[in-house]
Amino acid sequence: MCGIFAYIGNRPAVNVIISGLKKLEYRGYDSIGISTLEDTLFTYKCVGKVSEMQDTIADKHLVGTIGIGHTRWATHGEPTEINAHPHLDESSKFSIVHNGIIENYMVLKKELETEGIKFLSQTDSEVIPHLIAKNYKITKNLEKAFLKTIAVLEGAYAICLISEYEPDKIFAVRKGSPLIIGVGKDECFCSSDISPILKHTKQILYLDENEYAILTKDHLDVKDFQGNLLPKELTKSAINIEDVSKGSYDFFMMKEIHEQPESIIRTIEDRCLVETGEVMLHSINVSFNQLLSINRIVITACGTSLHAGLVGEFFLEKFAQIPVEVEYAAEFRYRNPIIDSKTLVLAISQSGETADTLAAVAEAKSKGALVIAICNVQGSTITREANGVIYTKAGLEIGVASTKAFTAQITALYMFTIYMARIKWLISKETRKHLIKQLYNIPSLIKEIFLSEDHIYKIACKYYKYDHFLYLGRGIGFPVALEGALKMKEISYIHAEGYSAAEMKHGPIALIDENMPVVVIALKGRSYEKILSNIAEVKARKGQVIAIATKGDISILEKVDDVIYIPDTEEELTAILAVVPLQLLAYYAAVLRGCHVDQPRNLAKSVTVE
């Protein structure tokens, strides 16, 4: 969840690293540090933002052309300067930055302490430089010392190391936490995310599990944990530098909300054919016979991706007529799930690096299940671990609160549903053509919703000072309610909960009074009359109701306090449209409350540690 950025080349490293760390701020962090190497190591750390570090080193005249940087999100130990990375050994000859968790650090720390090593921080990461220093005394070789160290580390980690003993090299290793290498002209970069690298080069290499790299300014070696050189090829990133710029928007989140029509078009174009009613998903890499043998689907994910999975459950059970369960990845991995070779596991992750979802994939594969990933990032771990993949083409998503990735995931699930129903001969060609045509209409309907932004802003102005919100929905509106509540709590810090409206009388109704605004997904469909009854129950208890309603539904105006209309569409696709005003409502509430929308407190974009 932290951010690593390292550089080696001909330029002053600190300038490049500061720029890189700024691109990683969206991941969430509470402290920052940099080490650069001239004749000796210089290390600077502080609690706070990258800009504060920039001020700290402004007059230091640091000209070293190799360095490592880190933004820390506290796990072991409070956010303090001492606990911030980089961490050094006692001689200050070795400096490391680390993402992940070293699970056996207490055992390693006690062993080192018995040998007289004194620790400064409360972190698990500090054992790493001390171990490297200890092993270097034995081997007199930095690569061997590095290998001996990682051999005893248990848990997940991405580590970068620089040392005075080999001042022209960066050592980088990846196990369970992502690391990406960029190669430019006479310079190399290493980062936990691709976004800081794109400014400098599009020549990219994704380190695989249990691999380490040795970077010099003009060379790159990648090896396995036995020290064997691995043949690797660079790939050219398809991500544009414009994707990492806010453009005219104040926050990335608003930019990404407005990018949803284009991201959906990219996800469906060339794969959904209205003329023939066909969906082509070549990258799933799974035969028709394999899919026809499936008798059950398990969707596993975390957070927003889980909510997309709940929407997908409606699609698949209705059209593909196959039982579907949706599982929290963090729970799935720790029990003994009953799955076998006739189970298809759909693993959904925007980043492809979500620790719990990756562990769920490993668990599913160990039991013989077929795994297809739905992912936004090519080359990410989940796309390599799964049997096949359906790529969402949402483009780089910087805002911590996911928006365009969510609607692209629903789009991918809708496409997969049509694909499955087609090979099972469950829906006619005409029905498929109709469903695909309706999907192609969605981007223009989202743009229609954007015409109501001023109205949504006024509603946010009315309610943003409230401390609690309730979100209710039925059927496919239930996961939309969950997602709307998540967006509100993530970025505005308003306590918000989503429930099935059918469950209201089983507890949540006790919370309703004049101080509890209730957002209700009240769209035309088979649950509409039931939802109206739920609204009446809320109003009877003096609750204020904001309804997401179908355009043209005039009668609802007299039943609620405020209405946000969305265009009419296929019932299954209403989830994509209904979530857009909820994203905007949360955004405006957060801005009005003075929150940093793109960097909500205590949150990170990708949860890459448990």
Side-chain angles (χ1 to χ4, degrees), residues 134-142 144-146 148:
K134 172 185 173 181
N135 290 324
Y136 186 80
K137 289 178 182 178
I138 299 168
T139 63
K140 303 300 181 185
N141 179 285
L142 189 54
K144 290 180 180 178
F146 189 61
K148 283 177 69 70

Side-chain angles (χ1 to χ4, degrees), residues 157-168:
Y157 51 80
I159 302 166
C160 284
L161 159 72
I162 58 174
S163 171
E164 290 181 18
Y165 291 113
E166 296 195 27
D168 61 343

Side-chain angles (χ1 to χ4, degrees), residues 25-29 49 400 493 596-601 603:
E25 286 189 295
Y26 74 94
R27 295 172 66 90
Y29 70 106
K49 296 297 184 182
V400 167
Y493 316 142
H596 195 305
V597 173
D598 289 336
Q599 297 173 37
R601 67 189 182 202
L603 295 179

Side-chain angles (χ1 to χ4, degrees), residues 278-310:
E278 298 294 336
V279 173
M280 298 178 293
L281 300 174
H282 302 302
S283 61
I284 65 171
N285 199 33
V286 176
S287 70
F288 285 180
N289 287 337
Q290 286 176 291
L291 289 175
L292 287 171
S293 71
I294 296 300
N295 59 21
R296 177 168 163 260
I297 294 176
V298 174
I299 299 175
T300 187
C302 301
T304 287
S305 296
L306 183 88
H307 299 158
L310 288 167

